[in-house]
């Protein structure tokens, strides 16, 4: 079984800076990490590989320094790493990113065999859109299973996979045909520790580096800023509220008394709420 895991090197969220002119994230001089959500996808891919056999390829699009994150993934046990880097990819939004990654996944299929499963994290901490995974699935015509909490049985002969997907109000148990793209939720597993021998091997391993031409992109206007219809109009920090939070005295009170205290405070501050609720109930 061939498995591809898309990972992204992201700036440490505590030190993100935004360019004042282009409104894009400034990555120079900012510490970087593997997107935390992608680690859950990587661990799940490695578990499947260990259980059913096959190979895990980690794929990342970014500047040359993204190779550090790929080597980190190799220390966890991934079989190979592919870095997609080119000046034409700079400034890509989710549409352009999903296009470039889908082209790279096609190339991976040609070189090492078509993947049965493509894994991504549910989203990245720098963009928080959760759009790239589904975008890849759409471009590659893959069945997609998003917000997956648990991987169930895989029927290799029948070519099906069963998963548990977190949804509003409960959990969905879904089965679909392979190949498939899966976005993993946080907290679904615990990332393994890389061994010393794996770290030494990763340091010496060859990372495959492809540019736009290598993956068959002829029209570079589909990449980077030119291929990105999303425009950031303005970036700003929220204005802090002047009113401070108030802590109600609840020490020694029962849960019912605490609830009464809270509701009395709410109704005293917002005097129209009670009338609105009464009118709503009468209308029902």
């Amino acid at each position: 079984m061939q498995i591809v895991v898309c990972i992204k090197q992201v700036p440490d969220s505590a030190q993100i800076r935004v360019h004042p002119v282009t409104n894009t994230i400034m990555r120079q001089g900012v510490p970087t990490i593997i997107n935390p959500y992608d680690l859950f996808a990587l661990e799940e891919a490695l578990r499947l590989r260990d259980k059913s056999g096959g190979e895990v390829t980690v794929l990342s699009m970014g500047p040359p320094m993204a190779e550090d994150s790929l080597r980190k993934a190799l220390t966890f046990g991934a079989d190979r790493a592919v870095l997609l880097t080119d000046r034409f990819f700079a400034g890509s939004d989710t549409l352009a990113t999903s296009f470039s990654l889908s082209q790279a996944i096609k190339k991976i299929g040609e070189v090492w065999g078509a993947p049965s499963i493509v894994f991504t994290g549910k989203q990245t901490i720098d963009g928080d859109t959760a759009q790239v995974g589904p975008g890849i699935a759409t471009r590659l015509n893959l069945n997609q299973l998003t917000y997956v909490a648990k991987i169930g049985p895989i029927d290799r002969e029948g070519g099906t996979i069963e998963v548990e997907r977190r949804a509003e109000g409960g959990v969905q148990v879904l089965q679909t045909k392979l190949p498939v793209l899966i976005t993993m939720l946080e907290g679904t597993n615990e990332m393994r520790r890389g061994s010393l021998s794996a770290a030494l091997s990763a340091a010496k391993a060859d990372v495959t580096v492809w540019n736009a031409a290598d993956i068959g992109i002829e029209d570079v206007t589909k990449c980077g800023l030119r291929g990105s219809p999303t425009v950031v109009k303005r970036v700003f920090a929220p204005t802090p509220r002047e009113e401070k939070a108030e802590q109600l005295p609840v020490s020694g009170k029962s849960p019912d008394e605490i609830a009464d205290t809270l509701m009395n405070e709410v109704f005293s501050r917002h005097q129209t709420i009670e009338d609105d609720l009464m009118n709503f109930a009468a209308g029902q």
Side-chain angles (χ1 to χ4, degrees):
M1 177 184 293
Q2 294 293 333
I3 302 173
V4 173
V5 183
C6 297
I7 68 172
K8 185 179 182 182
Q9 187 181 65
V10 296
D12 189 328
S13 59
Q15 303 187 49
I16 286 179
R17 297 178 297 160
V18 177
H19 195 284
V21 177
T22 64
N23 286 326
T24 57
I25 293 176
M26 297 173 62
R27 303 179 186 273
Q28 292 78 12
V30 180
T32 56
I33 57 175
I34 297 178
N35 177 51
Y37 295 118
D38 296 342
L39 291 176
F40 297 107
L42 176 58
E43 173 61 23
E44 204 63 41
L46 294 173
R47 291 184 181 187
L48 283 179
R49 190 272 317 271
D50 295 344
K51 180 179 179 180
S52 303
E55 296 177 320
V56 172
T57 301
V58 286
L59 168 66
S60 184
M61 186 180 84
M65 67 179 185
E67 183 176 317
D68 295 339
S69 292
L70 289 170
R71 291 193 183 279
K72 182 68 174 178
L74 290 174
T75 67
F76 292 130
D79 296 285
R80 68 177 64 88
V82 177
L83 174 61
L84 196 59
T85 186
D86 197 309
R87 62 185 179 86
F88 293 117
F89 300 144
S92 295
D93 69 357
T94 56
L95 185 70
T97 298
S98 63
F99 169 72
S100 300
L101 288 175
S102 64
Q103 292 296 111
I105 293 171
K106 288 181 182 179
K107 179 72 173 182
I108 289 173
E110 295 171 1
V111 178
W112 294 292
S116 299
I117 304 175
V118 176
F119 277 105
T120 72
K122 72 166 188 177
Q123 63 194 65
T124 59
I125 62 171
D126 58 350
D128 283 329
T129 63
Q131 294 175 350
V132 171
I136 294 172
T138 299
R139 292 183 182 277
L140 296 179
N141 196 29
L142 300 176
N143 295 321
Q144 58 179 297
L145 299 169
T146 57
Y147 301 103
V148 171
K150 181 180 179 181
I151 303 295
I154 297 179
D155 183 353
R156 297 288 298 277
E157 294 183 0
T160 62
I161 184 172
E162 184 177 296
V163 303
E164 292 183 9
R165 177 183 186 272
R166 195 175 301 167
E168 292 184 9
V171 174
Q172 298 174 339
V173 178
L174 304 175
Q175 184 184 78
T176 190
K177 288 280 189 180
L178 299 172
V180 67
L181 181 137
I182 296 174
T183 71
M184 293 298 300
L185 279 176
E186 72 279 9
T188 52
N189 53 46
E190 184 176 349
M191 192 71 225
R192 63 189 64 191
R193 291 180 177 271
S195 64
L196 177 60
S197 60
L200 294 174
S201 298
K204 298 181 293 183
D206 292 327
V207 174
T208 301
V209 180
W210 289 336
N211 58 26
D214 292 331
I215 58 175
I217 296 179
E218 298 179 354
D219 184 3
V220 294
T221 62
K222 296 181 179 180
C223 307
L225 283 174
R226 288 186 291 176
S228 302
T230 304
V231 177
V232 179
K233 184 177 180 180
R234 185 165 64 102
V235 177
F236 62 95
T239 303
R241 296 178 58 179
E242 296 182 0
E243 184 180 357
K244 301 296 184 180
E246 181 180 345
Q247 184 173 353
L248 299 177
V250 296
S251 178
K253 294 185 177 181
S254 68
D256 289 341
E257 291 172 333
I258 293 174
D260 289 338
T261 300
L262 177 60
M263 295 306 298
N264 289 334
E265 188 68 22
V266 169
F267 286 131
S268 66
R269 288 173 177 262
H270 307 279
Q271 298 179 3
T272 63
I273 289 182
E274 188 171 7
D275 292 337
D276 293 340
L277 290 174
M278 295 296 293
N279 293 333
F280 178 79
Q284 297 297 314

